[in-house]
Amino acid sequence: MSLPRFMTVVLLLALCVPAGTARGEPIETFGDARLSFFANEREARDGTETSDEGLRLRLRVGAETRLSEAWLLRGRLAGRFATEQDRTRFWLKAWAPARAGLEDGDATIDELFLRYAPAEGDWSLRMGRFQSKFELMGVAAKSLDRNDSPNVDVNWTDGLHLQYDLTPAWRSHLILQRNVSSGTGPLVRAPLVFDDSGSRVSAFAALESTVPVGPLKQRVLTVTWMPEALATDGIAAKRREDYVAFTAKLFTEWPIGTGGMRGGLGGELGYATNTPLDPVVNARDSGSAGGSAHQFSMNLFDFFPGHNIAFVYGHTDAGWLLSPDFRNNDLLLEIRYQWRIVKNLSMEARLRRREELKLPAAAPQERIDDDFYVRLSAKF
């Protein structure tokens, strides 16, 4: 089904929903803008050095309305722009134009969904195009598996999202994600592809709790299943296998002194049960690529009121292909500073280094990327 047809189905469903007692509800508008100055420096595998810098802007504007007490209709437009872009276009297709999402100068519909949430129920269902995030808490919230639209990126998920409260403390999630032969909306890394007919639907399930238990603030277990999506021998080869990955996230927080300052430690572990062959992901070794991943963060909240800082360490093997925040075959070191200026306005600064872990056989040295940004984020 093409994207225009997919969107048409969502809108037709909205028209068929009974208006109920909430007919005449007003349309609420919302939006956010994120402006970033960035600078990148790269030392390539052959030792050459390159750099670039500029401004990037992400702008999102949306609206929602209640069709009845239980039904909500929501839509949003999103665009990504930069000083170095060479064109502007409206992208209305079922897949993202690049693996990271929209390219500079692109705009699209990144949300258009119906949500059903009965007033007396303990479950809800979203149908259509939506945002899905399962980040590790912290100043620099990141995820090894699912995190649509981080930083100034624009991604989306097409499909169904069912939430069910198992207990007052624990919530379950099931996402059925629609893919097409040309790609998908969330970020996935090569050699994950969707050209096999068996890869049209991916599944993601999670158990999460954010009800504090002593210093514990977050506990999450997830599993991702992408049938027939892994090009084990490379994209040009015919063989496709299932890609299955598990993660566990844990975040703790505690007070420091009596002035409101708090400390926080977070960690996430990931493991993929099936990975591509090492030569497919540019590693020296033979056999299958490693499938492990982990991240850890140390956080200090409100060391002055509204000021937070964190250090993040991440390590992802070449066979970990799901994260929008961590490249596969990479070591990441990051310092993040955040200033909550007022309720809907914040400033962040990031200094990050990423080093390649394993090299192609002919490469004399690993690739190293150093980058920095300062960004302002505003909600309206």
Side-chain angles (χ1 to χ4, degrees), residues 58 60 80 100-102 148-155 187 324:
R58 187 182 70 188
R60 304 187 295 191
R80 172 189 167 112
L102 291 190
D148 288 346
S149 304
N151 199 4
V152 293
D153 293 340
V154 178
N155 306 94
L187 184 148

Side-chain angles (χ1 to χ4, degrees), residues 156-207:
W156 57 85
T157 299
D158 289 337
L160 303 174
H161 180 190
L162 174 66
Q163 298 183 50
Y164 181 74
D165 294 336
L166 300 171
T167 70
W170 286 91
R171 172 174 291 178
S172 62
H173 300 264
L174 175 63
I175 295 175
L176 299 180
Q177 173 186 312
R178 173 178 173 266
N179 311 306
V180 297
S181 59
S182 298
T184 190
L187 184 148
V188 293
R189 301 187 185 276
L192 286 176
V193 291
F194 303 100
D195 53 3
D196 189 282
S197 60
S199 65
R200 293 295 177 265
V201 177
S202 305
F204 171 88
L207 289 173

Side-chain angles (χ1 to χ4, degrees), residues 1-298:
M1 185 185 295
S2 67
L3 181 61
R5 291 181 181 176
F6 181 73
M7 298 299 189
T8 301
V9 169
V10 175
L11 291 174
L12 287 175
L13 285 173
L15 294 175
C16 294
V17 172
T21 59
R23 183 179 291 276
E25 285 285 337
I27 297 176
E28 297 184 6
T29 59
F30 57 89
D32 62 79
R34 179 168 280 177
L35 179 64
S36 171
F37 169 78
F38 71 92
N40 302 317
E41 293 185 357
R42 166 171 289 188
E43 185 176 350
R45 294 166 179 161
D46 61 3
T48 60
E49 297 183 359
T50 58
S51 64
D52 68 305
E53 60 185 33
L55 294 174
R56 289 177 181 159
L57 170 68
R58 187 182 70 188
L59 181 63
R60 304 187 295 191
V61 179
E64 65 180 33
T65 186
R66 287 203 168 273
L67 305 176
S68 71
E69 185 178 1
W71 288 92
L72 176 79
L73 175 63
R74 176 181 171 117
R76 187 171 68 181
L77 296 173
R80 172 189 167 112
F81 311 99
T83 50
E84 70 271 23
Q85 72 184 55
D86 55 8
R87 50 109 180 99
T88 301
R89 66 177 174 178
F90 188 71
W91 182 266
L92 193 60
K93 296 183 180 180
W95 68 94
R99 285 191 178 268
L102 291 190
E103 298 177 327
D104 291 337
D106 290 345
T108 193
I109 299 172
D110 78 332
E111 286 187 332
L112 181 58
F113 65 84
L114 278 168
R115 187 186 71 188
Y116 179 74
E120 302 300 325
D122 50 10
W123 64 281
S124 67
L125 177 66
R126 289 191 292 176
M127 301 169 284
R129 171 167 290 188
F130 49 83
Q131 298 289 300
S132 57
K133 289 178 174 288
F134 290 83
E135 303 165 308
L136 179 67
M137 287 181 174
V139 177
K142 297 178 181 292
S143 177
L144 287 176
D145 52 4
R146 199 164 197 97
N147 185 16
D148 288 346
S149 304
N151 199 4
V152 293
D153 293 340
V154 178
N155 306 94
W156 57 85
T157 299
D158 289 337
L160 303 174
H161 180 190
L162 174 66
Q163 298 183 50
Y164 181 74
D165 294 336
L166 300 171
T167 70
W170 286 91
R171 172 174 291 178
S172 62
H173 300 264
L174 175 63
I175 295 175
L176 299 180
Q177 173 186 312
R178 173 178 173 266
N179 311 306
V180 297
S181 59
S182 298
T184 190
L187 184 148
V188 293
R189 301 187 185 276
L192 286 176
V193 291
F194 303 100
D195 53 3
D196 189 282
S197 60
S199 65
R200 293 295 177 265
V201 177
S202 305
F204 171 88
L207 289 173
E208 70 166 346
S209 176
T210 55
V211 176
V213 178
L216 291 177
K217 288 202 66 177
Q218 183 189 35
R219 292 154 286 167
V220 183
L221 297 172
T222 76
V223 58
T224 299
W225 176 43
M226 293 185 168
E228 304 298 327
L230 178 64
T232 311
D233 305 318
I235 294 175
K238 292 183 178 180
R239 183 162 64 134
R240 300 290 183 265
E241 296 184 349
D242 293 2
Y243 189 76
V244 181
F246 301 87
T247 74
K249 313 179 203 299
L250 187 70
F251 190 82
T252 63
E253 188 177 300
W254 63 91
I256 300 175
T258 59
M261 184 165 57
R262 308 179 315 282
L265 289 176
E268 180 179 11
L269 303 177
Y271 179 71
T273 60
N274 191 23
T275 60
L277 297 177
D278 261 322
V280 175
V281 286
N282 292 332
R284 292 179 184 269
D285 300 335
S286 59
S288 296
S292 298
H294 55 266
Q295 65 156 320
F296 300 101
S297 70
M298 297 185 295

